[in-house]
Amino acid sequence: MGRLIEYLLELVVVLIVGRLLGGTLRHFFGAATLHMPDGSPRTRKERSRPQTVRGEMVRDPVCRMFVATELSHRLEWRGQTLHFCSKECLEAYRKTAAAAG
Ligand SMILES: [Zn+2]
């Protein structure tokens, strides 16, 4: 019986100390830890996005960077499909192409 009470007391002490420590830590690092639940799912979602992109890589004719055809902004221009990294590049090309005739 004595052992059980000792064990229970120990358990209670551990729980209380744990709570106090937890509360203190939360108090000190509250800002940092409280932002984690909000931020982590979002960052996890972004990270879970596949890094390897299947499909073809083509060059953006405006900024010359390579873009995946899967993710590109497309423009049908004189029978061919052009791929752009962004809407801005697409619009820029459309403007210059329209100006050039
Ligand atoms: Zn671009």
Side-chain angles (χ1 to χ4, degrees):
M1 231 8 220
R3 261 195 187 176
L4 187 70
I5 287 166
E6 227 172 83
Y7 173 74
L8 284 173
L9 276 173
E10 213 170 279
L11 197 71
V12 167
V13 169
V14 165
L15 281 173
I16 289 168
V17 170
R19 273 216 177 169
L20 283 172
L21 276 175
T24 321
L25 287 173
R26 227 175 289 151
H27 178 74
F28 279 114
F29 303 106
T33 46
L34 280 174
H35 277 258
M36 287 291 277
D38 278 331
S40 54
R42 232 177 282 150
T43 48
R44 218 177 287 160
K45 211 175 182 182
E46 279 170 12
R47 276 179 194 172
S48 70
R49 210 185 284 166
Q51 287 286 316
T52 48
V53 180
R54 284 164 297 166
E56 230 181 311
M57 294 296 282
V58 288
R59 199 163 253 197
D60 179 330
V62 175
C63 68
R64 302 261 158 218
M65 74 176 277
F66 281 99
V67 287
T69 53
E70 257 183 37
L71 305 169
S72 66
H73 293 254
R74 274 160 234 163
L75 175 68
E76 298 288 335
W77 187 257
R78 289 177 180 174
Q80 58 175 322
T81 309
L82 296 163
H83 299 271
F84 301 90
C85 70
S86 64
K87 211 177 170 188
E88 283 71 33
C89 283
L90 190 153
E91 292 300 325
Y93 186 86
R94 218 208 307 250
K95 268 178 206 165
T96 51

XYZ file of all heavy atoms in Angstrom:
802
model
N 0.843 -1.208 0.000
C 0.000 0.000 0.000
C 0.874 1.252 0.000
O 0.643 2.183 -0.733
C -0.870 -0.022 1.270
C -2.391 0.180 1.081
S -3.139 0.225 -0.512
C -4.298 1.528 -0.234
N 1.887 1.205 0.851
C 2.800 2.335 0.971
C 3.459 2.683 -0.352
O 3.561 3.850 -0.716
N 3.806 1.666 -1.067
C 4.468 1.865 -2.346
C 3.549 2.564 -3.344
O 3.972 3.426 -4.102
C 4.891 0.511 -2.899
C 6.354 0.231 -2.640
C 6.792 -0.916 -3.512
N 8.147 -1.326 -3.161
C 8.784 -2.352 -3.701
N 8.170 -3.089 -4.593
N 9.989 -2.644 -3.365
N 2.294 2.125 -3.316
C 1.322 2.674 -4.250
C 1.138 4.167 -3.992
O 1.117 4.982 -4.919
C -0.012 1.935 -4.109
C -1.068 2.303 -5.148
C -0.664 1.781 -6.523
C -2.420 1.741 -4.768
N 1.020 4.536 -2.722
C 0.834 5.941 -2.355
C 2.057 6.760 -2.770
O 1.925 7.844 -3.334
C 0.546 6.072 -0.841
C -0.883 5.567 -0.545
C 0.679 7.520 -0.377
C -1.159 5.332 0.922
N 3.210 6.164 -2.539
C 4.457 6.817 -2.925
C 4.467 7.068 -4.436
O 4.809 8.137 -4.919
C 5.635 5.921 -2.540
C 6.755 6.661 -1.833
C 7.794 5.690 -1.317
O 8.657 5.307 -2.127
O 7.714 5.296 -0.136
N 4.069 6.036 -5.127
C 4.035 6.104 -6.589
C 3.057 7.185 -7.053
O 3.360 7.996 -7.939
C 3.625 4.736 -7.136
C 3.395 4.725 -8.618
C 4.468 4.769 -9.510
C 2.099 4.683 -9.132
C 4.259 4.761 -10.870
C 1.882 4.673 -10.498
C 2.961 4.706 -11.361
O 2.740 4.709 -12.699
N 1.876 7.199 -6.413
C 0.866 8.190 -6.798
C 1.341 9.610 -6.502
O 1.142 10.517 -7.306
C -0.450 7.913 -6.055
C -1.262 6.740 -6.608
C -2.446 6.441 -5.699
C -1.760 7.033 -8.017
N 1.970 9.754 -5.337
C 2.494 11.072 -4.967
C 3.530 11.538 -5.980
O 3.532 12.686 -6.422
C 3.123 11.024 -3.568
C 2.140 11.198 -2.406
C 2.839 10.958 -1.077
C 1.532 12.600 -2.408
N 4.387 10.601 -6.347
C 5.421 10.900 -7.331
C 4.788 11.338 -8.647
O 5.186 12.308 -9.275
C 6.285 9.661 -7.555
C 7.728 9.996 -7.859
C 8.584 8.747 -7.825
O 8.972 8.311 -6.725
O 8.826 8.191 -8.911
N 3.760 10.611 -9.011
C 3.050 10.902 -10.254
C 2.462 12.317 -10.206
O 2.578 13.099 -11.153
C 1.935 9.873 -10.453
C 1.374 9.778 -11.877
C 2.380 9.142 -12.809
C 0.092 8.960 -11.856
N 1.829 12.634 -9.053
C 1.219 13.959 -8.898
C 2.287 15.041 -8.980
O 2.115 16.059 -9.661
C 0.444 14.043 -7.558
C 0.076 15.486 -7.239
C -0.810 13.185 -7.627
N 3.419 14.797 -8.287
C 4.507 15.776 -8.301
C 5.006 15.976 -9.724
O 5.191 17.100 -10.195
C 5.654 15.318 -7.358
C 6.888 16.175 -7.575
C 5.200 15.420 -5.908
N 5.188 14.865 -10.425
C 5.674 14.941 -11.808
C 4.689 15.741 -12.661
O 5.082 16.586 -13.470
C 5.896 13.517 -12.378
C 6.040 13.559 -13.886
C 7.137 12.895 -11.748
N 3.401 15.472 -12.451
C 2.386 16.173 -13.233
C 2.406 17.667 -12.951
O 2.342 18.491 -13.859
C 0.993 15.607 -12.929
C 0.659 14.292 -13.644
C -0.663 13.748 -13.130
C 0.584 14.483 -15.142
N 2.505 17.991 -11.629
C 2.504 19.405 -11.249
C 3.736 20.110 -11.800
O 3.642 21.185 -12.404
C 2.416 19.547 -9.708
C 1.007 19.143 -9.244
C 2.730 20.968 -9.279
C 0.885 18.959 -7.743
N 4.898 19.466 -11.610
C 6.143 20.064 -12.111
C 6.082 20.214 -13.628
O 6.459 21.239 -14.193
C 7.358 19.206 -11.671
C 8.621 19.666 -12.365
C 7.535 19.295 -10.151
N 5.577 19.172 -14.250
C 5.451 19.210 -15.706
C 4.564 20.359 -16.164
O 4.886 21.069 -17.115
N 3.461 20.544 -15.450
C 2.546 21.631 -15.798
C 3.192 22.984 -15.616
O 3.068 23.861 -16.459
C 1.299 21.543 -14.924
C 0.279 20.620 -15.536
C -1.095 21.113 -15.284
N -2.052 20.250 -15.950
C -3.360 20.306 -15.737
N -3.835 21.153 -14.852
N -4.185 19.542 -16.398
N 3.889 23.092 -14.455
C 4.543 24.364 -14.164
C 5.595 24.678 -15.221
O 5.659 25.780 -15.750
C 5.193 24.326 -12.772
C 4.219 24.488 -11.594
C 4.947 24.243 -10.288
C 3.595 25.879 -11.590
N 6.387 23.665 -15.520
C 7.425 23.844 -16.536
C 6.803 24.166 -17.886
O 7.225 25.078 -18.585
C 8.278 22.581 -16.647
C 9.418 22.452 -15.629
C 10.083 21.096 -15.778
C 10.447 23.561 -15.812
N 5.777 23.416 -18.207
C 5.092 23.629 -19.479
C 4.532 25.040 -19.560
O 4.690 25.728 -20.562
N 3.917 25.465 -18.456
C 3.335 26.802 -18.429
C 4.398 27.873 -18.547
O 4.228 28.852 -19.270
N 5.523 27.639 -17.836
C 6.605 28.614 -17.891
C 7.187 28.682 -19.290
O 7.422 29.758 -19.827
C 7.723 28.242 -16.887
O 7.107 27.751 -15.699
C 8.567 29.425 -16.556
N 7.401 27.518 -19.865
C 7.964 27.476 -21.211
C 7.022 28.147 -22.196
O 7.433 28.922 -23.054
C 8.223 26.029 -21.642
C 9.420 25.343 -20.970
C 9.453 23.867 -21.346
C 10.724 26.009 -21.364
N 5.752 27.842 -22.021
C 4.766 28.433 -22.917
C 4.741 29.954 -22.754
O 4.555 30.691 -23.710
C 3.380 27.850 -22.629
C 2.663 27.432 -23.896
C 1.358 26.741 -23.566
N 1.560 25.422 -22.987
C 0.711 24.841 -22.131
N -0.380 25.472 -21.756
N 0.943 23.636 -21.655
N 4.932 30.339 -21.473
C 4.933 31.765 -21.190
C 6.109 32.453 -21.876
O 5.975 33.524 -22.445
C 4.997 31.988 -19.677
C 5.046 33.427 -19.283
N 3.941 34.241 -19.350
C 6.074 34.192 -18.842
C 4.302 35.449 -18.951
N 5.581 35.453 -18.638
N 7.269 31.778 -21.808
C 8.480 32.391 -22.379
C 8.508 32.291 -23.898
O 8.878 33.217 -24.599
C 9.726 31.720 -21.794
C 10.085 32.268 -20.437
C 10.017 31.477 -19.299
C 10.489 33.600 -20.314
C 10.334 31.984 -18.051
C 10.813 34.115 -19.067
C 10.737 33.312 -17.936
N 8.121 31.120 -24.375
C 8.212 30.903 -25.820
C 6.832 30.938 -26.472
O 6.642 30.445 -27.566
C 8.889 29.565 -26.110
C 10.251 29.445 -25.498
C 10.459 28.648 -24.390
C 11.309 30.160 -26.034
C 11.716 28.540 -23.817
C 12.566 30.053 -25.464
C 12.772 29.249 -24.352
N 5.897 31.513 -25.736
C 4.519 31.519 -26.205
C 4.368 31.993 -27.633
O 3.740 31.337 -28.448
N 4.966 33.107 -27.916
C 4.821 33.691 -29.249
C 5.278 32.726 -30.328
O 4.605 32.553 -31.331
C 5.616 34.978 -29.342
N 6.429 32.112 -30.070
C 6.998 31.231 -31.090
C 6.184 29.956 -31.242
O 5.883 29.551 -32.360
C 8.429 30.885 -30.740
N 5.820 29.352 -30.096
C 5.137 28.061 -30.189
C 3.691 28.227 -30.630
O 3.151 27.382 -31.307
C 5.189 27.309 -28.846
O 4.844 28.219 -27.811
C 6.577 26.756 -28.580
N 3.067 29.324 -30.250
C 1.662 29.498 -30.602
C 1.483 29.730 -32.092
O 0.449 29.436 -32.643
C 1.061 30.680 -29.817
C 0.660 30.339 -28.373
C 0.213 31.600 -27.654
C -0.461 29.303 -28.332
N 2.516 30.244 -32.727
C 2.404 30.476 -34.160
C 2.573 29.194 -34.971
O 2.158 29.131 -36.101
C 3.453 31.502 -34.611
C 2.994 32.898 -34.375
N 2.501 33.692 -35.388
C 2.912 33.632 -33.256
C 2.150 34.865 -34.872
N 2.404 34.851 -33.582
N 3.186 28.204 -34.331
C 3.457 26.948 -35.026
C 2.199 26.260 -35.565
O 2.173 25.909 -36.740
C 4.233 25.984 -34.114
C 5.678 26.386 -33.926
S 6.668 26.205 -35.426
C 7.055 24.455 -35.304
N 1.151 26.065 -34.731
C -0.016 25.352 -35.275
C -0.636 26.059 -36.476
O -1.152 25.420 -37.379
C -0.994 25.319 -34.089
C -0.152 25.532 -32.896
C 0.967 26.436 -33.352
N -0.574 27.363 -36.463
C -1.133 28.108 -37.595
C -0.243 27.989 -38.824
O -0.723 27.815 -39.925
C -1.281 29.596 -37.232
C -2.563 29.819 -36.445
O -3.512 29.049 -36.649
O -2.592 30.742 -35.654
N 1.044 28.144 -38.594
C 1.981 28.207 -39.723
C 2.313 26.856 -40.313
O 2.450 26.735 -41.513
N 2.430 25.838 -39.427
C 2.943 24.559 -39.928
C 2.062 23.886 -40.985
O 2.601 23.380 -41.951
C 3.227 23.607 -38.771
O 2.095 23.466 -37.952
N 0.738 23.889 -40.829
C -0.034 23.226 -41.887
C 0.143 23.898 -43.234
O 0.193 23.223 -44.253
C -1.487 23.361 -41.403
C -1.393 23.645 -39.965
C -0.112 24.410 -39.787
N 0.246 25.209 -43.193
C 0.396 25.934 -44.452
C 1.743 25.593 -45.104
O 1.804 25.332 -46.287
C 0.287 27.439 -44.203
C -0.746 28.077 -45.121
C -0.897 29.547 -44.809
N -1.712 29.772 -43.612
C -1.555 30.815 -42.803
N -0.639 31.716 -43.052
N -2.306 30.961 -41.758
N 2.803 25.637 -44.272
C 4.126 25.343 -44.824
C 4.199 23.879 -45.236
O 4.851 23.550 -46.212
C 5.231 25.659 -43.809
O 4.884 25.091 -42.568
C 5.442 27.159 -43.667
N 3.531 23.018 -44.449
C 3.552 21.609 -44.798
C 2.864 21.389 -46.140
O 3.286 20.610 -46.956
C 2.832 20.809 -43.709
C 3.510 19.471 -43.435
C 2.821 18.744 -42.293
N 3.102 19.350 -40.988
C 2.341 19.147 -39.913
N 1.268 18.397 -39.973
N 2.640 19.705 -38.768
N 1.795 22.136 -46.354
C 1.071 22.018 -47.605
C 1.962 22.440 -48.785
O 1.977 21.803 -49.815
C -0.169 22.912 -47.551
C -1.338 22.368 -48.364
C -2.555 23.245 -48.168
C -3.767 22.713 -48.917
N -4.923 23.577 -48.764
N 2.686 23.523 -48.553
C 3.562 24.005 -49.612
C 4.694 23.026 -49.888
O 5.099 22.844 -51.017
C 4.149 25.370 -49.225
C 3.173 26.493 -49.493
C 3.607 27.813 -48.923
O 4.775 27.934 -48.510
O 2.779 28.721 -48.875
N 5.171 22.426 -48.788
C 6.277 21.478 -48.942
C 5.813 20.191 -49.594
O 6.570 19.554 -50.280
C 6.895 21.182 -47.577
C 7.909 22.238 -47.191
C 8.496 21.977 -45.835
N 9.207 23.149 -45.347
C 9.697 23.248 -44.115
N 9.517 22.273 -43.267
N 10.331 24.328 -43.735
N 4.555 19.824 -49.340
C 4.063 18.571 -49.885
C 3.827 18.681 -51.394
O 3.673 17.683 -52.063
C 2.768 18.151 -49.193
O 1.720 19.010 -49.553
N 3.811 19.889 -51.877
C 3.655 20.082 -53.307
C 4.838 19.415 -54.011
O 5.984 19.650 -53.638
C 3.654 21.590 -53.627
C 2.825 21.916 -54.860
C 2.933 23.374 -55.208
N 2.151 24.231 -54.322
C 2.308 25.547 -54.261
N 3.201 26.143 -55.009
N 1.581 26.268 -53.445
N 4.583 18.603 -54.996
C 5.698 17.879 -55.610
C 6.748 18.812 -56.193
O 6.428 19.745 -56.928
C 5.026 17.045 -56.711
C 3.671 17.645 -56.900
C 3.307 18.282 -55.601
N 7.984 18.548 -55.797
C 9.095 19.363 -56.281
C 9.451 18.957 -57.708
O 9.805 19.774 -58.517
C 10.307 19.180 -55.366
C 10.141 19.861 -54.018
C 10.264 21.361 -54.099
O 11.151 21.881 -54.771
N 9.387 22.081 -53.446
N 9.356 17.657 -57.968
C 9.669 17.185 -59.311
C 8.437 17.356 -60.182
O 7.364 16.864 -59.857
C 10.083 15.703 -59.286
O 9.127 14.984 -58.522
C 11.466 15.532 -58.686
N 8.612 18.080 -61.227
C 7.490 18.350 -62.113
C 7.635 17.498 -63.356
O 8.660 17.528 -64.023
C 7.447 19.852 -62.487
C 6.274 20.124 -63.402
C 7.368 20.694 -61.239
N 6.603 16.736 -63.595
C 6.643 15.938 -64.809
C 6.309 16.827 -65.993
O 5.760 17.907 -65.845
C 5.627 14.800 -64.711
C 6.105 13.680 -63.798
C 4.951 12.795 -63.413
N 3.973 13.551 -62.644
C 2.742 13.142 -62.387
N 2.325 12.010 -62.863
N 1.925 13.876 -61.679
N 6.621 16.338 -67.128
C 6.306 17.100 -68.313
C 7.514 17.826 -68.840
O 8.616 17.712 -68.311
N 7.282 18.585 -69.860
C 8.355 19.228 -70.577
C 8.769 20.536 -69.925
O 7.950 21.217 -69.321
C 7.836 19.538 -71.983
C 8.744 19.093 -73.092
C 8.153 19.475 -74.434
O 6.960 19.195 -74.659
O 8.860 20.085 -75.225
N 10.033 20.861 -70.097
C 10.510 22.161 -69.665
C 10.744 23.003 -70.921
O 11.444 22.587 -71.835
C 11.826 22.026 -68.889
C 11.678 21.292 -67.564
S 10.636 22.122 -66.366
C 11.766 23.376 -65.771
N 10.130 24.145 -70.922
C 10.300 25.022 -72.079
C 10.746 26.391 -71.603
O 10.575 26.745 -70.437
C 8.986 25.163 -72.890
C 8.678 23.887 -73.645
C 7.842 25.576 -72.013
N 11.291 27.146 -72.531
C 11.831 28.434 -72.145
C 10.778 29.523 -72.328
O 10.123 29.611 -73.352
C 13.058 28.740 -73.001
C 13.925 29.800 -72.397
C 15.293 29.786 -73.019
N 16.276 29.242 -72.085
C 17.584 29.405 -72.221
N 18.076 30.030 -73.254
N 18.406 28.917 -71.335
N 10.681 30.310 -71.295
C 9.817 31.487 -71.336
C 10.474 32.493 -72.286
O 11.607 32.906 -72.060
C 9.750 32.029 -69.900
C 8.902 33.284 -69.771
O 8.828 34.060 -70.737
O 8.353 33.492 -68.685
N 9.808 32.865 -73.365
C 10.443 33.757 -74.345
C 10.681 35.171 -73.825
O 11.435 35.933 -74.432
C 9.468 33.748 -75.524
C 8.176 33.315 -74.964
C 8.468 32.457 -73.776
N 10.071 35.536 -72.715
C 10.230 36.885 -72.186
C 11.432 36.963 -71.241
O 12.366 37.719 -71.466
C 8.934 37.361 -71.482
C 9.134 38.716 -70.826
C 7.799 37.425 -72.490
N 11.421 36.170 -70.194
C 12.492 36.258 -69.214
C 13.522 35.154 -69.367
O 14.511 35.123 -68.653
C 11.925 36.270 -67.795
S 11.181 34.699 -67.315
N 13.294 34.236 -70.288
C 14.273 33.202 -70.638
C 14.477 32.137 -69.574
O 15.426 31.380 -69.663
C 15.637 33.827 -70.989
C 15.572 34.805 -72.124
C 16.012 34.167 -73.434
N 15.471 34.894 -74.579
C 15.037 34.313 -75.699
N 15.062 33.009 -75.807
N 14.566 35.006 -76.694
N 13.619 32.103 -68.610
C 13.747 31.021 -67.629
C 12.964 29.821 -68.106
O 12.063 29.940 -68.932
C 13.287 31.482 -66.244
C 11.775 31.620 -66.089
S 11.288 32.046 -64.409
C 11.306 30.426 -63.648
N 13.339 28.656 -67.583
C 12.645 27.437 -67.966
C 11.400 27.262 -67.119
O 11.433 27.451 -65.908
C 13.566 26.230 -67.810
C 14.533 26.100 -68.948
C 15.834 26.555 -68.820
C 14.121 25.545 -70.143
C 16.724 26.443 -69.874
C 15.011 25.427 -71.205
C 16.321 25.886 -71.078
N 10.343 26.901 -67.773
C 9.105 26.649 -67.054
C 8.556 25.298 -67.476
O 8.738 24.871 -68.606
C 8.032 27.743 -67.316
C 8.376 29.026 -66.609
C 7.828 27.976 -68.789
N 7.909 24.629 -66.528
C 7.275 23.353 -66.846
C 5.974 23.637 -67.577
O 5.198 24.498 -67.163
C 7.003 22.577 -65.574
N 5.764 22.893 -68.632
C 4.553 23.123 -69.422
C 3.296 22.880 -68.589
O 2.256 23.464 -68.846
C 4.531 22.193 -70.649
O 4.723 20.852 -70.218
C 5.609 22.574 -71.637
N 3.439 22.025 -67.584
C 2.306 21.732 -66.704
C 1.874 22.937 -65.890
O 0.714 23.123 -65.594
C 2.696 20.608 -65.745
C 2.127 19.278 -66.130
C 2.486 18.215 -65.114
O 2.519 18.517 -63.918
O 2.753 17.091 -65.548
N 2.881 23.741 -65.504
C 2.591 24.849 -64.599
C 2.600 26.200 -65.293
O 2.331 27.221 -64.681
C 3.637 24.878 -63.476
C 3.818 23.588 -62.674
C 5.048 23.681 -61.808
C 2.599 23.316 -61.818
N 2.909 26.178 -66.563
C 3.108 27.452 -67.240
C 1.796 28.163 -67.556
O 0.721 27.569 -67.529
C 3.859 27.205 -68.547
O 3.029 26.455 -69.412
N 1.943 29.427 -67.855
C 0.816 30.192 -68.388
C 0.919 30.085 -69.906
O 1.945 30.412 -70.480
C 0.923 31.647 -67.941
C 0.749 31.810 -66.470
N -0.387 32.339 -65.908
C 1.567 31.484 -65.438
C -0.250 32.343 -64.599
N 0.917 31.829 -64.280
N -0.137 29.618 -70.509
C -0.062 29.318 -71.931
C -0.685 30.408 -72.781
O -1.645 31.058 -72.371
C -0.780 27.998 -72.213
C 0.142 26.813 -72.020
C -0.628 25.543 -71.822
N -0.176 24.919 -70.576
C -0.846 23.970 -69.940
N -1.991 23.567 -70.398
N -0.375 23.468 -68.842
N -0.100 30.557 -73.938
C -0.651 31.497 -74.903
C -0.589 30.848 -76.278
O 0.473 30.417 -76.729
C 0.167 32.797 -74.896
C -0.221 33.833 -75.954
C -1.592 34.430 -75.687
C 0.819 34.934 -76.022
N -1.740 30.765 -76.873
C -1.783 30.253 -78.232
C -1.467 31.416 -79.152
O -2.161 32.443 -79.138
C -3.184 29.698 -78.545
C -3.605 28.532 -77.676
C -2.874 27.229 -77.992
O -2.391 27.059 -79.126
O -2.782 26.386 -77.068
N -0.403 31.267 -79.880
C 0.013 32.366 -80.730
C 0.419 31.842 -82.098
O 1.390 31.134 -82.243
C 1.174 33.130 -80.063
C 1.544 34.381 -80.805
C 2.630 34.558 -81.624
C 0.840 35.624 -80.813
N 2.636 35.826 -82.135
C 1.553 36.504 -81.661
C -0.343 36.068 -80.199
C 1.121 37.822 -81.886
C -0.756 37.366 -80.427
C -0.030 38.229 -81.251
N -0.348 32.186 -83.084
C -0.092 31.794 -84.471
C 0.156 30.293 -84.608
O 1.156 29.842 -85.170
C 1.105 32.574 -85.018
C 0.722 34.036 -85.212
C 1.867 34.860 -85.674
N 1.430 36.246 -85.843
C 2.254 37.241 -86.130
N 3.539 37.008 -86.286
N 1.802 38.459 -86.269
N -0.748 29.572 -84.041
C -0.703 28.119 -84.209
C 0.234 27.394 -83.269
O 0.268 26.179 -83.253
N 1.013 28.118 -82.492
C 1.861 27.404 -81.537
C 1.571 27.854 -80.106
O 1.088 28.964 -79.888
C 3.343 27.588 -81.885
C 3.789 29.025 -81.925
C 5.294 29.127 -82.146
O 6.066 28.332 -81.632
N 5.711 30.098 -82.923
N 1.866 26.957 -79.211
C 1.620 27.240 -77.804
C 2.905 27.739 -77.165
O 3.936 27.076 -77.228
C 1.128 25.980 -77.078
O 0.042 25.423 -77.823
C 0.653 26.322 -75.676
N 2.810 28.912 -76.584
C 3.955 29.482 -75.877
C 3.713 29.340 -74.383
O 2.585 29.415 -73.918
C 4.119 30.956 -76.253
C 4.454 31.214 -77.727
C 4.198 32.654 -78.085
C 5.872 30.824 -78.045
N 4.806 29.138 -73.681
C 4.701 28.937 -72.232
C 5.443 30.024 -71.490
O 6.580 30.357 -71.829
C 5.259 27.567 -71.853
C 4.505 26.445 -72.494
N 3.415 25.862 -71.909
C 4.678 25.833 -73.691
C 2.952 24.913 -72.723
N 3.701 24.878 -73.801
N 4.798 30.544 -70.467
C 5.376 31.637 -69.683
C 5.392 31.275 -68.206
O 4.532 30.551 -67.726
C 4.582 32.923 -69.898
C 4.551 33.353 -71.341
C 3.540 32.902 -72.178
C 5.536 34.181 -71.856
C 3.515 33.274 -73.513
C 5.515 34.548 -73.195
C 4.503 34.099 -74.018
N 6.362 31.866 -67.519
C 6.494 31.558 -66.093
C 5.404 32.261 -65.302
O 5.017 31.815 -64.236
C 7.861 31.987 -65.586
S 8.082 33.773 -65.507
N 4.939 33.379 -65.805
C 3.950 34.150 -65.056
C 3.007 34.854 -66.014
O 3.270 34.970 -67.212
C 4.649 35.184 -64.176
O 5.327 36.102 -65.004
N 1.933 35.332 -65.426
C 0.956 36.075 -66.212
C 1.584 37.368 -66.748
O 1.250 37.828 -67.826
C -0.244 36.409 -65.324
C -1.539 36.463 -66.102
C -2.711 36.722 -65.169
C -3.962 37.020 -65.990
N -5.071 37.451 -65.155
N 2.500 37.927 -65.933
C 3.164 39.162 -66.328
C 3.959 38.960 -67.622
O 3.903 39.779 -68.539
C 4.103 39.653 -65.223
C 3.400 40.319 -64.060
C 2.613 39.339 -63.186
O 3.042 38.175 -63.045
O 1.563 39.733 -62.659
N 4.693 37.850 -67.673
C 5.481 37.552 -68.867
C 4.563 37.323 -70.063
O 4.852 37.770 -71.166
C 6.365 36.331 -68.628
S 7.825 36.697 -67.645
N 3.468 36.622 -69.805
C 2.516 36.347 -70.873
C 1.975 37.654 -71.449
O 1.958 37.863 -72.663
C 1.376 35.488 -70.322
C 0.383 34.870 -71.306
C -0.213 33.609 -70.724
C -0.751 35.830 -71.669
N 1.573 38.534 -70.538
C 1.005 39.813 -70.980
C 2.047 40.647 -71.708
O 1.757 41.301 -72.711
C 0.451 40.587 -69.771
C -0.781 39.944 -69.138
C -1.962 39.819 -70.100
O -2.158 40.707 -70.961
O -2.700 38.819 -69.988
N 3.274 40.612 -71.182
C 4.359 41.370 -71.813
C 4.588 40.882 -73.235
O 4.752 41.665 -74.176
C 5.636 41.238 -70.996
N 4.576 39.547 -73.393
C 4.798 38.993 -74.715
C 3.650 39.352 -75.646
O 3.845 39.737 -76.786
C 4.937 37.477 -74.636
C 5.307 36.864 -75.956
C 6.635 36.768 -76.339
C 4.323 36.400 -76.838
C 6.986 36.221 -77.563
C 4.654 35.863 -78.060
C 5.986 35.769 -78.420
O 6.332 35.245 -79.644
N 2.432 39.232 -75.107
C 1.247 39.530 -75.910
C 1.290 40.968 -76.422
O 0.947 41.244 -77.560
C -0.010 39.287 -75.074
C -1.132 38.679 -75.921
C -2.498 38.994 -75.447
N -2.745 38.679 -74.040
C -3.546 37.672 -73.636
N -4.088 36.870 -74.514
N -3.768 37.503 -72.375
N 1.723 41.861 -75.521
C 1.797 43.278 -75.900
C 2.824 43.518 -76.989
O 2.551 44.174 -77.996
C 2.133 44.115 -74.670
C 0.878 44.611 -73.954
C 1.238 45.392 -72.701
C 0.096 45.321 -71.696
N 0.513 45.735 -70.364
N 4.035 42.975 -76.791
C 5.093 43.195 -77.770
C 4.764 42.500 -79.084
O 5.033 43.027 -80.167
C 6.455 42.693 -77.246
O 6.298 41.357 -76.783
C 6.974 43.567 -76.124
N 4.169 41.305 -78.991
C 3.816 40.565 -80.189
C 2.723 41.297 -80.957
O 2.767 41.389 -82.188
C 3.348 39.167 -79.818
N 1.778 41.845 -80.220
C 0.699 42.593 -80.869
C 1.245 43.879 -81.505
O 0.845 44.253 -82.604
C -0.373 42.940 -79.836
N 2.210 44.500 -80.823
C 2.810 45.720 -81.344
C 3.616 45.425 -82.589
O 3.641 46.205 -83.542
C 3.691 46.363 -80.279
N 4.286 44.260 -82.594
C 5.112 43.872 -83.748
C 4.234 43.452 -84.926
O 4.710 43.405 -86.042
C 6.052 42.726 -83.333
N 3.006 43.114 -84.614
C 2.097 42.722 -85.667
C 2.056 41.238 -85.788
O 2.478 40.622 -86.704
Zn 8.919 34.815 -67.294
